[in-house]
């Protein structure tokens, strides 16, 4: 009776082939798991980084617009100072004009006509007070209007807020096509 070596040899070969195919399958499964994990990790990292870059760029745009808003507020404050001062001059000039007219109206009947040189001096002073008060009202109104128009011109032409253009906004945008266009080395880069 001879020992049975053939079945053992054939079963050992079948077991080696089976274990080799199992190892290849396990290796392929591990590679697939690594590739899926690396792809998902890198995609999440790309999405996070893109979101951070986009938020940062939008924040810079918002800060720039807010900074120009402060510039516009400064321009308004400076012109408001001039407009307020001219408004005060306008009120004071109007009061002075009113007081001059009231004084002339109340003192006109009692003015002595002799000596004539005194009448000329008094008339020059009265006319000068009327003219200077009318001139001060006129110049304060003109200055107030000029300051308003200069303020509007400066705010509409020189201190415009930098609204981001669609090209600037598009430059900040990122899509998964950019991620996938980076190639396999970018997608399968180890974490």
């Amino acid at each position: 009776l001879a020992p049975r070596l053939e079945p053992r040899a054939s079963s050992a070969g079948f077991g080696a082939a089976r274990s080799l195919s199992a190892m290849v399958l396990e290796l392929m499964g591990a590679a697939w798991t690594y590739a899926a994990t690396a792809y998902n990790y890198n995609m999440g990292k790309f999405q996070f980084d893109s979101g951070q870059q986009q938020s940062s760029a939008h924040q810079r745009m918002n800060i720039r617009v807010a900074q120009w808003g402060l510039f516009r507020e400064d321009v308004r404050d400076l012109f408001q100072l001039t407009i307020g001062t001219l408004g005060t001059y306008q009120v004071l000039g109007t009061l002075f004009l009113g007081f001059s007219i009231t004084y002339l109206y109340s003192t006109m009947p009692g003015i002595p006509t002799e000596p004539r040189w005194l009448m000329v001096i008094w008339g020059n002073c009265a006319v000068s007070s009327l003219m200077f008060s009318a001139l001060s009202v006129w110049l304060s109104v003109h200055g107030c209007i000029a300051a308003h128009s200069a303020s509007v011109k400066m705010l509409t032409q020189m201190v415009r807020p930098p609204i981001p253009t669609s090209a600037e906004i598009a430059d900040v945008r990122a899509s998964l096509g950019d991620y996938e266009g980076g190639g396999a080395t970018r997608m399968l880069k180890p974490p």
Side-chain angles (χ1 to χ4, degrees):
L1 299 194
R4 295 177 140 184
L5 293 176
E6 279 185 9
R8 283 187 184 176
S10 67
S11 96
F14 180 71
R18 186 171 168 202
S19 67
L20 182 64
S21 66
M23 284 177 35
V24 167
L25 284 176
E26 285 178 18
L27 187 61
M28 286 177 59
W32 180 260
T33 302
Y34 169 78
T37 303
Y39 177 83
N40 289 332
Y41 172 79
N42 289 324
M43 183 175 62
K45 182 179 169 190
F46 174 80
Q47 288 174 336
F48 177 78
D49 291 345
S50 298
Q52 291 295 317
Q53 288 173 350
Q54 195 172 32
S55 295
S56 173
H58 288 168
Q59 185 66 24
R60 281 193 307 274
M61 290 176 193
N62 291 338
I63 288 172
R64 211 170 67 203
V65 169
Q67 180 183 23
W68 279 87
L70 291 174
F71 293 157
R72 291 174 65 85
E73 185 180 333
D74 290 344
V75 167
R76 281 190 192 99
D77 288 344
L78 288 173
F79 277 103
Q80 192 58 41
L81 188 69
T82 302
I83 292 166
T85 304
L86 289 173
T88 303
Y89 289 160
Q90 187 176 0
V91 169
L92 291 176
T94 305
L95 287 173
F96 186 69
L97 181 63
F99 292 149
S100 297
I101 291 172
T102 303
Y103 175 74
L104 288 175
Y105 182 72
S106 65
T107 59
M108 195 67 138
I111 295 176
T113 56
E114 291 297 326
R116 293 237 180 237
W117 61 270
L118 187 60
M119 181 68 172
V120 170
I121 292 174
W122 186 86
N124 284 339
C125 288
V127 170
S128 296
S129 70
L130 286 174
M131 289 301 128
F132 279 123
S133 60
L135 184 65
S136 73
V137 170
W138 179 59
L139 288 177
S140 65
V141 168
H142 176 70
C144 192
I145 291 170
H148 269 293
S149 64
S151 171
V152 168
K153 181 178 180 180
M154 186 170 279
L155 289 174
T156 57
Q157 293 178 2
M158 297 176 198
V159 191
R160 302 283 299 172
I163 306 299
T165 63
S166 57
E168 289 176 330
I169 294 173
D171 288 343
V172 175
R173 179 184 55 86
S175 67
L176 288 179
D178 297 336
Y179 168 68
E180 292 171 350
T185 56
R186 182 177 186 179
M187 288 187 283
L188 300 177
K189 180 177 156 184

